[in-house]
Amino acid sequence: MAKPSKKLVSCVILDLDGTLLNTDGVVSEILKGFLGKYGKQWDGREAQKIIGKTPLEAAAAVVEEYGLPCGNDEFLAELNPVFSSQLCKIKPLPGANRLLKHLSGHGVPMALASNSPRGNIESKISYHQGWKDYFSVIVGGDEVTAGKPSPEIFLEAAKRLNREPSSCLVIEDSIPGVTAGKAAGMEVVAVPSVPKQTHLYTPADEVINSLLDLQPEKWGLPPFQDWIEGTLPTEPWYIGGPVIKGFGRGSKVLGIPTANLSTKGHWSLLSEHPSGVYFGWAGLSTRGVYKMVMSIGWNPYFNNTEKTIEPWLLHEFNEDFYGEELRLVIVGYIRPEVNFPSLESLIGKIQEDRRIAERALDLPVYSKHKDDPYLISSLHSERNHS
C-alpha cells in the first residue's frame, strides 16, 4: 500500500457543484434556452467564468459577456425557478457515490461547503439517496460574509467539524475553491471541471482527472479496496452508432486500428464521463461481439480540440467496417488520460491497456456483460433485415 506522501488529514470538506454533482450540464441546458430568447447562443465559453462563483457573480458574468438587456437580479429571478424545477435531473459525477460511501463507511467526518445558498444545497442533495446523512456539517454561501475565494466558508466548516484547518482535506473543482482551501491552511485536491486547464490549478496539493483517480491513502485515509487487477468496475454505460473515418492516425501512426464513433448526439453522455481509458464489449451488427478497450478525451499527445471516442476492438479484422453499426457496453475504467513525452511511450501504454483489458474481460464481473441485450439486439436486428 502506498505510504502517505502528503500531510495526514482526519476529515474531508467537499464542494458540491462540479465536484460531486454534474450541475454544469443542467445549467448549460437552461442557459441555452434562456439566452435563445434574447437571440444569443450559449456556447459554454463562459463556463470558466461562472464555475465556483456565487449565483450573483455567475449571473453578472453571463449578463456582461452576452450584453443582456437586464440586470443581474432580474436575470437570477427569471433563472432560479427554472433551475429549481430541474434540480432532480442533476446526476452525481462518476466516482461521487463511491467516494461518499467509502469515507462514510470508514467513519471519516465529511462537510459540504458550497457558495450556493444553504436551502439550495439541501434541495440538491435531497434527490440523492443517503447524501444527507453523509455530511455532519453543511455550510452555504449565505451563512458567511464572503464566499470562495475567501477562506471563510472552509474555516467555518472546520470549526463546526471541531477540527484544525490543517487536518482537513478539501476536494474542489474550481479555481476560487482551490484558492479558498489553500488560504484556509488546508490540503487541497483539485478535480478540474473545465478540460485542458490543469495548469491553472498549480496552487492545489494534487490535481486529479476525476474522483475515480483519488487515492485516499496518500492523505492517511483508508484506501479503496475495489480495484481488480488494475481495473475499476463501473456501472455499465452504453453508446453506439455507425463507424466513421477518424483522424487516420490509429493505424498509420500508432499501428492500432481504432473504430471511431461520431460524437454527434453523444455530447451530454461524453460530458458525464471523465476522459480516460475504459474497456468493455463491442457488438458489430454483422460480425459478433468482441473485447474492446477505448479512450475518451482530447488525446493530449495529438492535442485534439474536441472530446473523441476511440474504441479499439481486440480482434484481427481483414477489412474496414466503416458505416457498420457499432454498439459498446463500457464496464470498467483503467486510467486517466495523460500526455506522453514520445510516440513510443504512448504506444507502449496503449499496448499495456490492451493487455489489462483482455485479461480483465475474462473475469466473471466483466465477462457477464458479453451477453448484454444491447449488444445482442444489434446482431438480431441486422440478421432480421438481411
Side-chain angles (χ1 to χ4, degrees):
M1 193 178 91
K3 279 201 172 71
S5 52
K6 321 279 183 190
K7 221 157 65 184
L8 303 190
V9 301
S10 62
C11 63
V12 178
I13 305 176
L14 297 121
D15 172 54
L16 183 61
D17 301 308
T19 301
L20 293 173
L21 289 180
N22 188 15
T23 318
D24 297 346
V26 170
V27 169
S28 292
E29 286 305 311
I30 293 170
L31 286 172
K32 232 182 242 172
F34 186 82
L35 290 170
K37 287 199 295 195
Y38 291 101
K40 312 272 184 183
Q41 193 177 358
W42 170 256
D43 53 12
R45 66 171 183 254
E46 290 316 297
Q48 189 86 32
K49 284 189 183 170
I50 65 173
I51 285 169
K53 297 287 182 6
T54 64
L56 195 61
E57 289 168 343
V62 174
V63 168
E64 184 189 352
E65 179 64 28
Y66 288 88
L68 299 182
C70 62
N72 304 341
D73 291 326
E74 191 188 331
F75 178 76
L76 263 186
E78 198 172 339
L79 217 59
N80 272 336
V82 185
F83 185 59
S84 297
S85 69
Q86 301 287 310
L87 290 181
C88 58
K89 292 187 180 170
I90 303 174
K91 295 181 180 174
L93 283 157
N97 272 316
R98 169 181 176 248
L99 175 63
L100 296 178
K101 273 185 194 146
H102 174 74
L103 294 176
S104 169
H106 285 90
V108 177
M110 284 184 279
L112 260 185
S114 164
N115 270 351
S116 296
R118 171 76 183 244
N120 184 288
I121 297 169
E122 288 179 345
S123 298
K124 283 179 201 158
I125 65 173
S126 69
Y127 294 101
H128 303 281
Q129 200 180 348
W131 281 32
K132 195 169 155 287
D133 301 326
Y134 289 145
F135 302 103
S136 45
V137 166
I138 295 175
V139 187
D142 56 346
E143 297 180 76
V144 291
T145 52
K148 306 166 191 175
S150 159
E152 191 185 345
I153 209 160
F154 287 128
L155 292 170
E156 181 60 27
K159 189 170 135 195
R160 292 191 200 173
L161 283 168
N162 205 15
R163 301 289 159 126
E164 285 298 317
S166 60
S167 70
C168 301
L169 175 67
V170 166
I171 302 178
E172 260 287 355
D173 73 300
S174 73
I175 291 161
V178 169
T179 307
K182 288 317 296 172
M186 299 177 179
E187 300 297 293
V188 178
V189 172
V191 195
S193 51
V194 176
K196 297 179 151 193
Q197 299 293 329
T198 48
H199 59 284
L200 300 175
Y201 288 79
T202 44
D205 298 283
E206 186 181 22
V207 181
I208 57 176
N209 185 55
S210 78
L211 292 177
L212 300 175
D213 304 307
L214 184 71
Q215 295 176 277
E217 64 272 24
K218 283 188 174 179
W219 311 93
L221 297 169
F224 284 112
Q225 303 286 0
D226 49 0
W227 284 81
I228 305 166
E229 294 189 19
T231 66
L232 178 65
T234 58
E235 279 294 310
W237 52 282
Y238 304 85
I239 197 164
V243 176
I244 59 164
K245 278 195 187 294
F247 297 97
R249 59 174 182 234
S251 308
K252 293 190 190 77
V253 182
L254 303 173
I256 291 155
T258 53
N260 292 56
L261 280 177
S262 167
T263 53
K264 256 200 177 84
H266 296 312
W267 181 83
S268 66
L269 185 64
L270 282 181
S271 74
E272 278 174 38
H273 292 281
S275 57
V277 176
Y278 297 82
F279 64 96
W281 297 98
L284 272 173
S285 49
T286 59
R287 300 166 195 264
V289 176
Y290 306 94
K291 290 178 175 181
M292 174 277 302
V293 64
M294 68 186 257
S295 75
I296 292 184
W298 286 266
N299 204 326
Y301 185 80
F302 293 106
N303 200 18
N304 296 352
T305 51
E306 286 184 2
K307 211 171 184 183
T308 58
I309 319 164
E310 301 185 27
W312 179 18
L313 276 55
L314 306 180
H315 179 82
E316 296 297 324
F317 293 96
N318 296 323
E319 69 280 294
D320 290 330
F321 36 83
Y322 295 125
E324 283 191 37
E325 178 74 14
L326 174 66
R327 292 193 175 186
L328 307 175
V329 177
I330 295 96
V331 298
Y333 172 75
I334 296 177
R335 63 174 176 86
E337 186 174 54
V338 286
N339 202 352
F340 290 93
S342 68
L343 197 57
E344 289 71 33
S345 54
L346 170 61
I347 293 169
K349 196 65 175 169
I350 294 172
Q351 293 292 355
E352 185 189 326
D353 295 335
R354 172 187 184 144
R355 288 191 294 275
I356 290 170
E358 281 203 304
R359 197 169 56 233
L361 285 163
D362 290 331
L363 300 170
V365 65
Y366 299 124
S367 63
K368 65 183 181 190
H369 296 286
K370 189 178 182 180
D371 301 322
D372 192 290
Y374 179 71
L375 299 174
I376 308 302
S377 62
S378 77
L379 300 173
H380 291 167
S381 62
E382 187 67 33
R383 284 181 192 139
N384 294 342
H385 290 121
S386 51

